[in-house]
Amino acid sequence: MVRNPERRAALVDASIEVLARDGARGLTFRAVDAAAGVPGGTASNYFANRDDLLAQVTAQIHERIAPDPDEVTAVMAAPPTRELVAELMRWINRRVTENRTGYLAMLELRLEATRRPELRAELTRVIRATLDDDIRFHLESGLPGDRTAVMLIYLAMTGLMLEQLTLPGVVPEEETGGLISALVDRAIGADGEKEGAA
């Protein structure tokens, strides 16, 4: 296998674009080569097979959709209140819109994982580790709400993202801010605000 890390990263980025545009069935070495603008046969020199390519995409996609650490620091400068939790969720929701391709590719990976046990195991590991990091971040930051509240918010936000990515007309954009605020209020509850405010 060829070991040019920049070329490999470009091919993985092209794979994410192909996944978002054409779905998992459209993810072929030929399509990746075309999307990356490289000669035919290049992707096959970097990835042993399609499973290897999917594994590389799984490893890379979270880096692509992860927020910039400096942006996180700026947002977290506010007091740890319920309103900050709501603002963080609205911020995540905006990120889905701004990086639609990355999130669509993630959705395609999830669907493909239902048919590929190895991909399912790896994607489950990656998503679970990210969720654990998010829960730890929430609790260690002193934000209101316990672990269950964070899980409920995660599950509801995942559903909202699914609607926005696949059927954006179901939940009108002008309603999402209010719905997110209501979600946070109900998930955290009156006691959660008292626990988070110190």
Side-chain angles (χ1 to χ4, degrees):
M1 290 283 119
V2 181
R3 300 289 178 213
N4 179 332
E6 292 82 16
R7 176 64 61 90
R8 179 181 293 272
L11 290 166
V12 172
D13 280 342
S15 300
I16 292 169
E17 298 292 326
V18 172
L19 261 178
R21 185 187 68 224
D22 301 331
R25 291 188 185 268
L27 185 66
T28 63
F29 285 164
R30 181 176 294 160
V32 171
D33 289 338
V38 297
T42 302
S44 63
N45 288 325
Y46 281 83
F47 308 103
N49 51 42
R50 195 163 177 275
D51 287 334
D52 182 30
L53 177 60
L54 285 167
Q56 295 292 320
V57 169
T58 300
Q60 177 71 23
I61 198 163
H62 271 87
E63 289 182 28
R64 179 167 172 164
I65 62 178
D68 182 300
D70 292 338
E71 291 178 19
V72 174
T73 300
V75 171
M76 291 304 294
T81 62
R82 185 187 319 222
E83 179 50 37
L84 177 58
V85 176
E87 180 51 36
L88 286 167
M89 295 308 105
R90 287 190 289 268
W91 181 49
I92 289 169
N93 192 57
R94 287 190 299 271
R95 290 183 51 73
V96 172
T97 303
E98 293 165 2
N99 191 1
R100 192 168 193 276
T101 299
Y103 284 96
L104 277 173
M106 176 57 78
L107 182 56
E108 288 291 341
L109 274 178
R110 284 174 175 250
L111 291 171
E112 187 66 10
T114 66
R115 296 176 284 272
R116 293 175 176 267
E118 287 181 13
L119 178 60
R120 181 171 55 240
E122 179 58 16
L123 194 56
T124 298
R125 185 192 67 75
V126 169
I127 299 272
R128 183 71 236 187
T130 301
L131 179 55
D132 287 342
D133 286 346
D134 290 346
I135 292 169
R136 187 170 30 258
F137 175 82
H138 184 100
L139 298 176
E140 290 176 358
S141 297
L143 292 165
D146 59 10
R147 183 181 186 284
T148 299
V150 178
M151 287 294 294
L152 290 171
I153 292 169
Y154 164 79
L155 293 169
M157 289 298 296
T158 302
L160 178 59
M161 289 177 194
L162 177 64
E163 293 297 335
Q164 290 181 312
L165 290 169
T166 59
L167 300 170
V170 170
V171 180
E173 188 177 336
E174 61 273 12
E175 292 183 22
T176 58
L179 288 169
I180 289 170
S181 293
L183 161 66
V184 170
D185 285 347
R186 293 178 186 197
I188 291 175
D191 291 340
E193 184 69 76
K194 291 174 192 163
E195 291 167 10

